């Protein structure tokens, strides 16, 4: 089981199925918290004072007997002050309400502090699908991120950060204790400069001279994008200027989160990196010190990072496939979209609702178009018509190639 889990290294979440790292008997039952049943767990326990400062930290093996299992939406109803009648009737409701609201307050404090320390609050749009019983997509929509989602995220970040700190400090006292760190390098300054030129074209100039300025500028951009749809285009492009986060035994910190120490500890059911972290942490508690072979651990880190990248590619392609499958049933129909990319052959247009991207080829337009350096705009030679990134357009779906996941569109002039 362990060898197979290491080979896979991660669960893969495709649109219509999950390819789990561990067999489902383990991942959905024995290793998962189930309400009203004892479950063996590895916990990170923090005590906060009235001001939200952590006063004590403790890591160790525990038994958790879950009192209630919330769906995100249900927890959100408590934060919105609109819990359903069934929830209100529970004997433990007053305790649940207090717990959820307290956690939310602490999470918001931690989030604020992170941003102050230079964390970048990327919120890329996550496309979800409503599927028919046979798996064909009925509609695509963008998942809404609410406080309940972010609350969980914030406490995971806390546990992951504190575990990395604990092991690193242990190594400082004597010799290094090799560990699995989640690291994120500084961005590529040349790519950031290109991106800043483009952002300025869209009317959003950025200061990008230092890594700290980049983080602040990207955060301003994220806030502005909530009000201006066109700026949402910039978020995925901003992410592309960034290094990829990977696993390593050499801790260089996590630029995107603004952390000097970070690891992955919170998801051992679906990530093998966390299994490795658990094993090392467990053998370094209660005054014990244990060191694994750093070179061997680095090899494992590389394998896990590679598998993670492949899983992310598969997940992206799965979304593209379902978007193509969805539009296959809408050939000939018109949609509103936004120009999301420009290449020599034509314009990429992302549709507003499904976020599916299709290509409008220049050869079907009434002019020859020159794409300017940086691929930010295309200008017609004869009529001087200009298309630029972020422009709103109306298109018609012409054809869909499911195997290649390609969608062909044409402009609807109006």
């Amino acid at each position: 089981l362990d060898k197979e889990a290491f080979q896979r290294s991660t669960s893969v979440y495709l649109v219509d199925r999950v390819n789990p790292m561990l067999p489902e008997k383990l991942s959905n039952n024995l290793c998962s918290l189930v309400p009203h049943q004892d479950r063996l767990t590895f916990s990170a326990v923090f005590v906060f004072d009235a001001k939200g400062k952590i006063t004590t930290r403790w890591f160790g093996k525990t038994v958790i007997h879950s009192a209630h299992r919330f769906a995100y939406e249900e927890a959100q109803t408590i934060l919105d002050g609109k819990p359903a009648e069934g929830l209100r009737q529970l004997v433990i409701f007053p305790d649940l309400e207090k717990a959820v609201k307290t956690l939310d307050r602490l999470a918001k404090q931690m989030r604020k502090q992170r941003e102050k320390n230079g964390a970048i609050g990327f919120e890329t749009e996550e496309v979800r699908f409503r599927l028919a019983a046979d798996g064909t997509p009925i509609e695509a929509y963008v998942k809404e991120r609410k406080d309940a989602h972010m609350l969980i995220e914030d406490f995971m970040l806390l546990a992951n950060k504190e575990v990395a700190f604990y092991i690193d400090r242990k190594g400082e006292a004597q010799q290094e204790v090799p560990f699995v760190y989640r690291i994120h390098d500084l961005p590529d300054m040349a790519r950031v400069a290109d991106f800043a030129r483009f952002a300025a074209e869209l009317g959003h100039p950025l200061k990008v001279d230092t890594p700290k300025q980049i983080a602040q500028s990207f955060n301003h951009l994220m806030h502005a994008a909530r009000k201006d749809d066109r700026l949402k285009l910039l978020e995925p492009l901003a992410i592309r200027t960034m290094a990829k986060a990977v696993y390593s035994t050499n801790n260089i910190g996590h630029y995107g989160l603004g952390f000097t120490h970070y690891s992955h500890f919170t998801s051992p059911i679906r990530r093998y990196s966390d299994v490795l972290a658990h094993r090392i942490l467990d053998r370094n508690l209660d005054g014990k010190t244990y060191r694994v072979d750093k070179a061997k651990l680095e090899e494992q880190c590389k394998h896990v990072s590679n598998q993670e990248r492949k899983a992310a590619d598969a997940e992206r392609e799965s979304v593209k496939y379902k978007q193509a499958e969805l539009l296959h049933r809408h050939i000939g129909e018109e949609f509103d979209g936004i120009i999301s990319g420009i290449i020599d052959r034509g314009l990429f247009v992302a549709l507003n609702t499904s976020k599916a991207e299709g290509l409008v080829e220049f050869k079907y337009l009434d002019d020859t178009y020159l794409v300017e350096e940086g691929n930010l705009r295309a200008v017609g030679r004869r009529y001087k018509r200009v298309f630029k990134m972020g422009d709103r357009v109306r298109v018609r779906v012409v054809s869909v190639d499911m195997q290649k996941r390609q969608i062909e569109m044409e402009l609807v002039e109006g």
Side-chain angles (χ1 to χ4, degrees), residues 47-54 100-117 119 147 150-151 154-155 157-158 161 259:
V47 178
F48 291 82
D49 66 15
K51 287 183 178 156
K53 288 266 179 294
I54 296 174
V100 171
K101 287 186 169 171
T102 305
L103 288 170
D104 186 51
R105 180 172 53 77
L106 291 168
K108 285 182 171 138
Q109 264 177 293
M110 291 192 286
R111 214 172 304 151
K112 218 170 171 175
Q113 190 54 49
R114 256 202 333 275
E115 200 166 308
K116 237 161 106 184
N117 295 345
D147 284 344
M150 293 191 267
L151 177 164
D154 287 313
F155 280 98
L157 291 176
L158 174 68
K161 174 181 78 167
F259 288 161

Side-chain angles (χ1 to χ4, degrees), residues 14 130 145 215 224 303 313 398 411:
L14 305 179
R130 205 156 61 77
R145 266 166 56 86
H303 171 75
D313 288 345
V398 178
L411 279 187

Side-chain angles (χ1 to χ4, degrees), residues 100-297:
V100 171
K101 287 186 169 171
T102 305
L103 288 170
D104 186 51
R105 180 172 53 77
L106 291 168
K108 285 182 171 138
Q109 264 177 293
M110 291 192 286
R111 214 172 304 151
K112 218 170 171 175
Q113 190 54 49
R114 256 202 333 275
E115 200 166 308
K116 237 161 106 184
N117 295 345
I120 303 172
F122 279 132
E123 284 188 27
T124 50
E125 293 188 317
E126 201 181 320
V127 178
R128 290 289 176 87
F129 295 85
R130 205 156 61 77
L131 301 175
D134 63 355
T136 53
I138 298 164
E139 70 162 331
Y141 60 94
V142 174
K143 177 187 161 189
E144 211 182 333
R145 266 166 56 86
K146 294 194 167 172
D147 284 344
H149 295 101
M150 293 191 267
L151 177 164
I152 297 293
E153 228 165 75
D154 287 313
F155 280 98
M156 283 188 174
L157 291 176
L158 174 68
N160 290 334
K161 174 181 78 167
E162 292 287 343
V163 164
F165 250 132
Y166 172 83
I167 292 285
D168 193 50
R169 271 201 298 267
K170 200 173 177 70
E172 270 173 12
Q174 24 192 310
Q175 121 203 31
E176 180 193 7
V177 175
F179 194 57
V180 179
Y181 293 100
R182 179 74 169 169
I183 62 166
H184 186 232
D185 210 344
L186 297 176
D188 176 329
M189 296 308 267
R191 289 172 82 172
V192 171
D194 279 349
F195 172 73
R197 266 210 319 278
F198 174 38
E201 284 265 338
L202 279 185
H204 198 89
L206 303 173
K207 283 191 180 142
V208 290
D209 298 331
T210 66
K212 189 153 180 131
Q213 273 188 352
I214 293 170
Q216 287 168 342
S217 293
F218 280 3
N219 278 329
H220 288 314
L221 176 63
M222 300 307 141
H223 291 303
R226 286 174 202 159
K227 296 187 183 77
D228 180 352
D229 257 7
R230 284 172 54 237
L231 293 179
K232 279 208 173 86
L233 267 186
L234 293 172
E235 295 188 21
L237 299 177
I239 290 170
R240 276 179 224 159
T241 67
M242 293 281 153
K244 291 265 182 285
V246 291
Y247 299 105
S248 174
T249 54
N250 300 308
N251 179 31
I252 60 165
H254 196 295
Y255 171 71
L257 290 171
F259 288 161
T260 53
H261 297 71
Y262 192 59
S263 66
H264 271 170
F265 160 84
T266 50
S267 298
I269 296 172
R270 62 182 183 87
R271 290 190 304 228
Y272 199 81
S273 53
D274 305 45
V275 174
L276 292 170
H278 277 216
R279 288 177 184 162
I280 296 169
L281 177 63
D282 182 43
R283 296 176 81 164
N284 280 284
L285 294 173
D286 308 322
K288 301 192 301 264
T289 303
Y290 173 78
R291 292 181 180 86
V292 296
D293 177 327
K294 186 170 177 177
K296 187 183 174 206
L297 187 61

Side-chain angles (χ1 to χ4, degrees), residues 5 186 235 365 369 383 388:
L186 297 176
E235 295 188 21
L365 301 183
Y369 282 85
Y383 304 121
K388 54 183 197 301

